[in-house]
Amino acid sequence: MNHKIRTMLQDMATELLGASGNPVQADETYVGGKNKNRHKDKKIEGCQGRSAADKTPVVGLIEK
């Protein structure tokens, strides 16, 4: 995920991050509970283990 974000920013928005020569840090995570902990009517079929099909991705970027 980090690689995709950096590649996109290099091509489309070079003036936004890293233009001043400062390092840019990026991190991502997925937010959402485990399928087995959900109520029976809220479980998603075929979603087990570390599947991200039902989770929301959250990405953060910061220029130091």
Side-chain angles (χ1 to χ4, degrees), residues 2-63:
N2 285 338
H3 179 70
K4 289 181 182 181
I5 292 169
R6 287 185 184 125
T7 303
M8 184 269 308
L9 287 174
Q10 284 176 351
D11 296 341
M12 298 173 63
T14 55
E15 70 280 354
L16 294 179
L17 291 173
S20 62
N22 296 332
V24 176
Q25 293 181 341
D27 198 14
E28 83 280 344
T29 188
Y30 290 94
V31 178
K34 291 182 180 179
N35 205 30
K36 70 177 186 175
N37 293 335
R38 295 185 183 154
H39 194 270
K40 184 179 178 182
D41 64 344
K42 296 193 185 216
K43 290 186 179 184
I44 298 174
E45 288 294 321
C47 214
Q48 62 183 1
R50 297 174 65 188
S51 174
D54 59 334
K55 298 187 180 12
T56 303
V58 177
V59 179
L61 298 166
I62 186 169
E63 183 174 10

